[in-house]
């Protein structure tokens, strides 16, 4: 700790900080541009100047840049000194010389850091009267719009994109006052984190192109705290709504999870919520070949209840993309013995194994922030950038943190970014990766091996044995693999805090068990380290804790006439099982009821379809891959703008359907009551009650506002329906209001913050006002509660070690490869994601391609017991011989580990049919 004196007041601060960070953590306003809490200082903009004095007797002082000056004990500074204020005003004036002053048409207007700092410094007159420098803008893909003329040369964009996120295709070109930030030529930004440029950039150089099509100022958007549904990382987001559509998603700060950054799938994959073909009213088909007719709610519930009452046995199929509350209500409707998780058996086995390991391996599960504090990492069977991108970004920070340690040895503070990077150069903590193809983190790895899943597991088991001799010996291990395993083991043992990462992306339980064995070995030897296991979907962890049978079990029960009715919850069965099998089961069933917010192939086979609320229209709880239960809040009431809709939360539909089936009074149902029932019913989920405040939570007697206090136009929004403005929707399920009336300040700490705003701070930098310290945790604590904890007890090593992978002469082992864009069910229905997705191809090794006599672009048929699909070939120089890589989301019938025949007999006509079929399944463009 250190004591500093600011304008005559004394404060205790962290002596390791710089003065800028220390002042901002104290709530003092100091303008800045180039500094960022996650990226440190480079002293490029000169905007954060303050007057520093030698001692109490010094009256003259000197100007220093607060971002480049340590917060040393007994430092004396003045923010309000006249010379400092004048200097800051002059700095922003010359930074603005070439700025176009186009705030009225700039999409950053209203949440622009440049605007905030201009007002803060008092700059309000433009004296420059000459020609401004102008630049040509670039086309950067479907996510990001480019307006280079607004640049103030703070270097934040390239520092984040290249130094922090590891991108290579964005740079700074030129010199002096003619610097250009962009690509060497027009083209799609390749980084999986490019969307963060929209918040990192303090001006409007990089803006959200998905928002541009229907632009709304930030102060006219309605927000709610939410959780990203596009993977299992559990990132916190702030979706903004206008006219019943989600217009953009911004990062919501969480000190233990995503902090300042999101991946591009989470930021731009929301388009499925706004699709024009979404079901908005209940639909009934008296014959499944007939056109559906729409019903009112009571009629729909009545017909649904009749179907269920007259059925012998009803199977409920849940979903890992639905909330815990909705899955619980489905289980209550059909009974515990009739509930399926809706997850395929192989994936469910992997999820069950991961939950067990998180409790019994002896090592804790790290938060994403914790991941950054590890100094040796082993990744088995995961391409993190494809399967859990935000976790991959955290691993990159862990590996590059070696530079910070080298700097500390030489008394260079960690915030002095340029000095740290210059000293560290290419110094990294050890990262080892085993995966069938090249991954997004190979560029910083100390070793990466492209192996078949069985060989990945064998490498992991060999590492475990090298760490702990009591771990099983891997038989017939070749000498090179043994040496590699020993090297990895030595580096893990030498680390202060080693990290083991595995997961279910390859659908291989033995790969997961191998990661668990390494973790167990480390636990026995050092008691240090962590184990992170990657799950596939937003609520995969929570649904596994809730329990239930596999999807195959449900299909078998229906196909074998043991059951004659099925209720499907937010799950497209055609995305999880072969088409022919699902067709047969749904045609055999006497009653099919589907709840979903998308018009999926399963919806088209329903007798009764009930329009469910998407994440933006519902409240619910998800459990992330680290076992953190977190609540997402309803952003808007869909019936306020579109009164004709009959969208309701799935848990509300299921509650009413059960009451009608039992001929009971539906009664009132609230989210708090459903959550309480869920927590009480499942002991493993009991602590989920602490994941968020209840509906009666108040600040100063006020509910919390969803809308900024400058929100405008509410009366006009429904003028085409009625000139009389109705009362704003009332929310009995949360402490938020559907209006600007309510508390939205920062001086009363709270966990759930819908949007970041503070007086004078309209940009995303306003999150500094809500944290205990800059870059720390929310002042009231970070949202959510951990449900998975290590349990004391004996963990026995896994002993059924696999044989080494042996290629076959006429068959290839299928490996389903996750992909960031297009590999997830809901985001792949969003237009920008469709545009960003790479062409769907079949990966084949060069040797295998030569053996088959095919080359890049040729069509091959992949034939397995579950079906057949045609795909163009993409030669892969590192894929092991004997494997065939299939992108996730292309052919649900293909399962990792299956053996397939490859036949070169498809035609270009067939290719067009396959591509067209895929477009139909994803719905094409909204």
């Amino acid at each position: 700790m250190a004591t500093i004196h600011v304008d005559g007041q004394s404060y205790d601060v962290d002596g390791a900080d710089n003065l800028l960070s220390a002042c901002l953590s104290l709530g003092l306003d100091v303008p800045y541009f180039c500094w960022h809490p996650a990226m440190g200082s480079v002293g490029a903009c000169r905007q954060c100047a303050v007057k520093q004095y030698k001692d109490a007797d010094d009256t003259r002082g000197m100007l220093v840049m607060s971002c480049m000056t340590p917060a040393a004990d007994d430092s004396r500074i003045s923010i309000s000194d006249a010379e400092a204020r004048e200097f800051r005003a002059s700095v922003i004036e010359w930074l603005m010389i070439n700025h176009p002053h186009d705030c009225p048409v700039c999409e950053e207007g209203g949440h622009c850091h440049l605007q905030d700092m201009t007002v803060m410094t008092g700059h309000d007159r433009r004296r420059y009267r000459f020609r401004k420098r102008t630049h040509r803008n670039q086309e950067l893909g479907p996510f990001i719009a480019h307006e280079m003329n607004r640049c103030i040369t703070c270097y934040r964009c390239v520092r984040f994109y290249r130094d922090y996120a590891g991108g290579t295709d964005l740079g700074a070109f030129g010199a002096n006052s003619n610097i250009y930030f962009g690509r060497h030529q027009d083209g799609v930004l390749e980084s999986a984190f490019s969307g963060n440029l929209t918040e990192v950039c303090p001006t409007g150089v990089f803006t959200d192109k998905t928002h541009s099509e229907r632009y709304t100022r930030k102060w006219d958007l309605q927000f709610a705290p939410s959780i990203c549904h596009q993977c299992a990382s559990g990132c916190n987001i702030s979706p903004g709504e206008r006219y019943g559509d989600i217009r953009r998603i911004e990062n919501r700060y969480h000190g233990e999870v995503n902090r300042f950054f999101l991946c591009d799938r989470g930021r731009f994959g929301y388009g499925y919520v706004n699709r024009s073909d979404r079901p908005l009213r209940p639909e009934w088909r008296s014959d499944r070949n007939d056109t559906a007719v729409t019903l009112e709610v009571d009629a729909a519930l009545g017909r649904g209840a009749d179907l269920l009452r007259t059925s012998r046995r009803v199977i409920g199929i849940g979903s890992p993309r639905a909330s815990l509350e909705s899955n619980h209500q489905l289980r209550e409707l059909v009974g515990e013995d009739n509930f399926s998780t809706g997850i395929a058996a192989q994936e469910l086995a992997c999820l069950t194994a991961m939950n067990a390991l998180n409790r019994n391996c002896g090592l804790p599960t790290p938060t994403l922030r914790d991941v950054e504090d590890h100094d040796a990492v082993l990744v088995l069977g995961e391409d993190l950038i494809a399967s859990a991108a935000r976790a991959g970004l955290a691993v990159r920070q862990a590996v590059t943190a070696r530079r910070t340690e080298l700097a500390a040895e030489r008394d260079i503070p960690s915030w002095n970014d340029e000095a740290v990077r210059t000293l560290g150069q290419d110094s990294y903590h050890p990262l080892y990766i085993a995966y069938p193809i090249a991954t997004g983190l190979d560029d910083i790895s100390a070793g990466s091996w492209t192996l078949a899943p069985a060989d990945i597991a064998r490498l992991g088991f060999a590492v475990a044995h090298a760490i702990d001799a009591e771990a099983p010996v891997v038989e017939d291990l070749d000498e090179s693999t043994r040496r590699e395993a020993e090297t990895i083991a030595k580096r893990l043992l030498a680390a202060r805090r080693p990290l083991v990462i595995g997961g279910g992306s390859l659908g291989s339980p033995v790969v997961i068990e191998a990661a668990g064995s390494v973790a167990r070995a480390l636990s026995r030897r050092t008691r240090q380290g962590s184990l992170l296991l990657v799950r596939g979907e937003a609520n995969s962890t929570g649904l596994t804790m809730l329990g239930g049978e596999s999807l195959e079990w449900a299909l078998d029960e229906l196909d074998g006439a043991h059951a004659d009715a099925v209720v499907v919850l937010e799950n497209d069965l055609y995305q999880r099982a072969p088409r022919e099998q699902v067709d047969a089961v749904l045609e055999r069933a006497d009653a099919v009821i589907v709840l979903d917010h998308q018009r999926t192939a399963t919806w088209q086979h329903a007798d009764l379809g009930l329009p469910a609320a998407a994440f933006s229209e519902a409240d619910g709880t998800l459990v992330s891959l680290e076992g953190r239960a977190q609540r997402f809040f309803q952003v808007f009431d869909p019936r306020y703008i579109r009164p004709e809709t009959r969208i309701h939360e799935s848990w509300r539909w299921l509650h009413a359907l059960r009451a009608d089936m039992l001929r009971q009074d539906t009664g009132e149902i609230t989210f708090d009551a459903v959550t309480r029932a869920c927590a009480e019913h499942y002991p493993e989920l009991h602590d989920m009650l602490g994941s968020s405040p209840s509906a009666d939570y108040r600040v100063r007697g006020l509910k919390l506002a969803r809308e900024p206090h400058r929100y405008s136009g509410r009366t006009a929004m429904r003028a085409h329906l009625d000139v009389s403005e109705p009362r704003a929707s009332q929310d009995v399920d949360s402490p938020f209001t559907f209006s600007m009336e309510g508390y939205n300040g920062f001086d009363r700490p709270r966990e759930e913050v819908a949007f970041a705003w503070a007086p004078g701070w309209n940009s995303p930098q306003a999150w500094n006002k809500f944290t205990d310290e800059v870059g720390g945790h929310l002042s009231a604590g970070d949202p959510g509660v951990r449900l998975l904890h290590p349990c004391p007890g004996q963990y026995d090593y896994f002993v059924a070690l696999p044989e080494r992978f042996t290629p076959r002469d006429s068959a290839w082992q299928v490996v389903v490869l996750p992909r960031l864009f297009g590999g997830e069910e809901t985001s792949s229905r969003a237009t920008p994601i469709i545009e960003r997705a790479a062409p769907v191809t079949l990966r084949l090794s060069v040797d295998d391609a030569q053996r088959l006599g095919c080359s890049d672009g040729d069509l091959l048929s992949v034939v397995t017991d579950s079906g057949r699909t045609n795909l163009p070939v993409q030669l892969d120089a590192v894929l092991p011989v004997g494997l065939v890589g299939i992108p996730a989301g292309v052919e649900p019938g293909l399962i990792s580990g299956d053996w397939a025949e490859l036949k070169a007999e498809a035609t270009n006509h067939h290719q067009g049919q396959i591509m067209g079929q895929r477009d139909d399944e994803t719905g094409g463009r909204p």
Side-chain angles (χ1 to χ4, degrees):
M1 296 296 292
T3 300
I4 64 171
H5 310 277
V6 184
D7 289 317
Q9 299 293 319
S10 298
Y11 303 94
D12 290 331
V13 299
D14 185 346
D17 283 342
N18 56 44
L19 285 174
L20 175 59
S21 179
C23 289
L24 293 173
S25 295
L26 293 170
L28 305 174
D29 290 342
V30 181
Y32 62 90
F33 285 120
C34 65
W35 177 83
H36 188 279
M39 297 185 288
S41 309
V42 291
C45 70
R46 299 294 193 250
Q47 187 59 68
C48 63
V50 297
K51 180 68 74 69
Q52 184 176 33
Y53 302 94
K54 294 180 181 179
D55 51 40
D57 297 325
D58 184 5
T59 58
R60 296 185 60 183
M62 61 181 292
L63 290 176
V64 298
M65 303 307 120
S66 58
C67 75
M68 298 297 293
T69 306
D73 192 39
D74 207 31
S75 294
R76 298 177 182 273
I77 64 170
S78 173
I79 300 171
S80 61
D81 176 79
E83 185 181 3
R85 292 201 311 269
E86 182 181 353
F87 182 86
R88 294 195 296 263
S90 68
V91 167
I92 204 163
E93 182 175 21
W94 56 256
L95 286 177
M96 294 282 285
I97 279 177
N98 287 299
H99 192 279
H101 293 250
D102 58 346
C103 299
V105 297
C106 176
E107 295 188 12
E108 199 75 4
H111 62 133
C112 173
H113 187 63
L114 176 60
Q115 287 179 335
D116 289 347
M117 298 301 97
T118 303
V119 172
M120 190 179 294
T121 56
H123 174 59
D124 59 2
R125 293 292 183 273
R126 179 172 53 173
R127 295 184 293 171
Y128 185 74
R129 293 292 181 267
F130 305 98
R131 183 183 298 275
K132 290 178 178 286
R133 173 208 63 209
T134 58
H135 290 294
R136 171 187 170 276
N137 301 320
Q138 291 185 316
E139 171 57 44
L140 298 177
F143 297 157
I144 303 296
H146 190 225
E147 178 50 76
M148 186 56 208
N149 292 324
R150 297 173 183 148
C151 182
I152 59 170
T153 324
C154 71
Y155 285 88
R156 267 196 191 181
C157 57
V158 293
R159 291 180 59 218
F160 167 77
Y161 195 92
R162 298 176 68 92
D163 298 340
Y164 193 92
T168 58
D169 61 319
L170 182 77
F173 304 91
N176 199 5
S177 61
N178 191 30
I179 305 292
Y180 188 91
F181 296 96
R183 301 182 84 250
H184 70 287
Q185 62 182 17
D186 287 16
V188 177
L189 288 172
E190 298 170 1
S191 172
F193 308 97
S194 64
N196 293 292
L197 294 174
T198 64
E199 295 186 22
V200 167
C201 176
T203 73
V205 175
F206 300 98
T207 55
D208 185 340
K209 187 180 286 188
T210 67
H211 186 201
S212 302
E213 298 175 3
R214 299 187 66 195
Y215 180 73
T216 303
R217 295 293 187 193
K218 178 179 179 177
W219 64 72
D220 282 333
L221 291 173
Q222 181 169 251
F223 299 91
S226 193
I227 306 299
C228 180
H229 279 54
Q230 268 50 82
C231 82
S233 295
C235 295
N236 285 219
I237 57 175
S238 288
E241 172 269 346
R242 183 75 170 181
Y243 289 100
D245 290 334
I246 295 298
R247 298 298 179 87
R248 70 178 299 166
I249 283 180
E250 294 184 344
N251 181 75
R252 180 165 67 100
Y253 188 88
H254 191 295
E256 290 288 1
V257 187
N258 48 291
R259 299 180 74 204
F260 297 98
F261 305 121
L262 299 173
C263 80
D264 284 355
R265 184 164 78 185
R267 187 182 293 273
F268 301 116
Y270 63 86
Y272 64 93
V273 174
N274 301 335
R275 290 181 65 95
S276 59
D277 63 349
R278 278 187 61 187
L280 303 179
R281 299 169 67 90
E283 295 181 3
W284 168 261
R285 291 180 180 86
S286 55
D287 187 302
R288 291 178 197 160
N289 295 320
D290 292 345
T291 302
V293 297
T294 58
L295 301 175
E296 283 298 324
V297 170
D298 289 342
L301 290 172
R303 295 196 184 189
D306 288 342
L307 287 176
L308 298 180
R309 270 195 301 267
T310 57
S311 299
R312 297 192 318 276
R313 183 184 176 204
V314 183
I315 296 295
I317 299 179
S319 171
R321 63 176 167 91
S323 67
L324 285 175
E325 290 80 6
S326 294
N327 279 289
H328 164 69
Q329 287 297 98
L330 175 59
R331 187 162 170 165
E332 289 290 287
L333 173 68
V334 302
E336 182 176 339
D337 295 335
N338 301 319
F339 177 74
S340 163
T341 60
I343 302 173
Q346 183 177 351
E347 182 182 356
L348 187 59
C350 291
L351 291 170
T352 302
M354 286 189 276
N355 281 12
L357 284 172
N358 283 139
R359 294 190 182 90
N360 302 323
C361 75
L363 294 182
T365 300
T367 67
L368 293 189
R369 183 175 187 145
D370 288 337
V371 167
E372 299 181 8
D373 191 37
H374 290 75
D375 55 347
V377 184
L378 171 62
V379 181
L380 295 175
E382 290 292 330
D383 178 2
L384 290 174
I385 301 301
S387 59
R390 190 58 187 81
L393 185 62
V395 169
R396 180 172 289 275
Q397 307 321 305
V399 174
T400 57
R402 172 62 178 153
R403 305 165 179 170
T404 305
E405 293 186 1
L406 292 174
E409 293 171 3
R410 293 159 177 80
D411 294 326
I412 299 174
S414 60
W415 46 259
N416 193 341
D417 188 64
E418 186 63 27
V420 169
R421 293 187 184 279
T422 300
L423 172 67
Q425 298 291 324
D426 294 328
S427 298
Y428 302 121
H429 286 310
L431 166 65
Y432 300 100
I433 305 172
Y435 193 68
I437 63 173
T439 77
L441 294 174
D442 285 355
D443 61 308
I444 56 171
S445 68
S448 58
W449 299 271
T450 51
L451 303 171
D455 292 336
I456 293 172
R458 286 168 61 85
L459 174 63
F461 290 123
V463 172
H465 179 72
I467 293 172
D468 179 12
E470 293 186 18
V473 177
V474 181
E475 301 295 341
D476 301 324
L477 193 67
D478 61 273
E479 184 61 24
S480 64
T481 303
R482 185 188 61 79
R483 288 197 302 269
E484 290 160 355
E486 290 176 352
T487 299
I488 296 170
K490 289 178 182 177
R491 300 299 294 272
L492 292 176
L493 286 171
R496 169 182 51 85
R497 195 178 182 193
L499 171 64
V500 182
I501 299 178
S505 292
L506 297 179
S508 173
V510 293
V511 170
I512 296 168
E513 293 293 351
S517 290
V518 178
R520 175 57 175 164
L522 287 172
S523 173
R524 287 167 60 92
R525 284 290 304 276
T526 69
R527 298 292 178 185
Q528 300 295 322
S530 305
L531 173 66
L532 181 69
L533 296 171
V534 176
R535 281 79 163 176
E537 296 179 75
N539 207 17
S540 294
T541 309
L543 184 54
T544 311
M545 296 173 73
L546 185 144
E549 303 290 341
S550 70
L551 175 60
E552 286 86 344
W553 171 87
L555 297 179
D556 288 345
E557 293 294 299
L558 290 161
D559 193 42
H562 301 297
D564 58 346
V566 60
V567 181
V568 183
L569 167 66
E570 298 182 35
N571 198 335
D572 186 5
L573 306 186
Y574 289 91
Q575 294 291 320
R576 300 180 187 273
R579 176 174 293 273
E580 293 77 11
Q581 183 182 11
V582 179
D583 278 341
V585 166
L586 295 184
E587 288 170 8
R588 178 187 289 270
D590 293 333
V592 179
I593 300 177
V594 176
L595 299 89
D596 212 331
H597 47 77
Q598 300 298 309
R599 197 174 294 279
T600 65
T602 305
W603 176 279
Q604 302 297 345
H605 286 74
D607 296 297
L608 176 65
L610 300 176
F615 78 92
S616 56
E617 303 150 344
D619 294 274
T621 305
L622 304 176
V623 182
S624 69
L625 57 84
E626 62 166 281
R628 183 184 297 271
Q630 299 182 104
R631 177 175 174 181
F632 58 95
F633 290 81
Q634 183 178 2
V635 182
F636 64 98
D637 177 3
R639 294 191 63 177
Y640 184 78
I641 296 298
R642 301 184 178 100
E644 72 278 7
T645 65
R646 298 295 182 267
I647 292 173
H648 294 288
E649 300 95 331
S650 292
W651 50 265
R652 202 180 296 275
W653 277 119
L654 292 165
H655 167 79
L657 190 60
R658 181 171 183 268
D660 260 25
M661 184 183 70
L662 298 176
R663 292 190 171 91
Q664 297 176 348
D665 179 28
T666 302
E668 290 295 325
I669 182 69
T670 64
F671 180 78
D672 284 348
V674 176
T675 303
R676 192 178 307 110
C678 185
E680 292 173 354
H681 198 85
Y682 312 100
E684 288 187 283
L685 299 176
H686 182 267
D687 290 343
M688 67 182 282
L689 289 172
S691 65
S692 67
S694 62
D696 59 2
Y697 177 81
R698 298 292 184 272
V699 175
R700 294 178 175 174
L702 299 173
K703 294 191 78 170
L704 308 176
R706 280 183 170 92
E707 300 168 358
H709 69 280
R710 293 179 291 177
Y711 189 91
S712 63
R714 190 169 72 191
T715 302
M717 290 170 70
R718 298 181 83 261
H720 64 294
L721 301 174
D722 194 335
V723 295
S724 175
E725 180 191 355
R727 184 188 185 194
S729 302
Q730 302 301 297
D731 188 358
V732 299
D733 293 315
S734 83
F736 287 89
T737 66
F738 289 109
S739 72
M740 69 182 76
E741 290 81 20
Y743 180 78
N744 65 3
F746 68 93
D747 56 330
R748 293 293 187 272
R750 62 190 192 281
E751 291 182 359
E752 302 294 353
V753 182
F755 56 90
W757 175 88
W761 297 84
N762 299 278
S763 76
Q765 302 299 308
W767 284 111
N768 293 338
K769 294 290 186 179
F770 292 84
T771 54
D772 53 5
E773 62 179 359
V774 171
H777 303 271
L778 293 181
S779 299
D782 296 312
V785 59
R786 299 286 291 274
L787 301 181
L788 285 176
H789 304 285
C791 300
Q794 184 65 33
Y795 168 85
D796 296 324
Y797 282 113
F798 185 81
V799 295
L801 306 192
E803 298 292 330
R804 72 172 62 184
F805 173 73
T806 303
R808 299 182 182 178
D809 291 335
S810 58
W812 283 259
Q813 188 176 67
V814 172
V815 178
V816 178
L817 303 172
R819 51 186 179 139
L820 187 64
F821 304 118
E824 188 272 330
E825 180 184 346
T826 53
S827 64
S828 63
R829 302 173 71 88
T831 298
I833 299 296
I834 295 172
E835 294 178 3
R836 181 67 175 83
V840 173
T841 59
L842 177 154
R843 286 180 180 260
L844 200 63
S845 73
V846 175
D847 289 345
D848 282 337
Q850 290 176 349
R851 183 153 58 95
L852 288 167
C854 62
S855 57
D856 263 328
D858 290 349
L859 280 175
L860 285 183
S861 291
V862 183
V863 184
T864 66
D865 293 340
S866 58
R868 177 186 192 128
T869 187
N870 301 334
L871 291 172
V873 170
Q874 177 185 351
L875 299 187
D876 193 310
V878 298
L879 182 73
V881 171
L883 298 184
V884 55
I886 308 294
V890 172
E891 184 55 47
L894 293 176
I895 301 173
S896 285
D898 282 355
W899 288 90
E901 291 183 70
L902 301 182
K903 297 183 179 180
E905 59 185 25
T907 66
N908 290 331
H909 174 67
H910 291 152
Q911 182 184 19
Q913 287 181 326
I914 292 297
M915 294 301 105
Q917 179 184 16
R918 181 59 188 161
D919 287 342
D920 290 341
E921 290 173 357
T922 59
R925 294 174 179 268

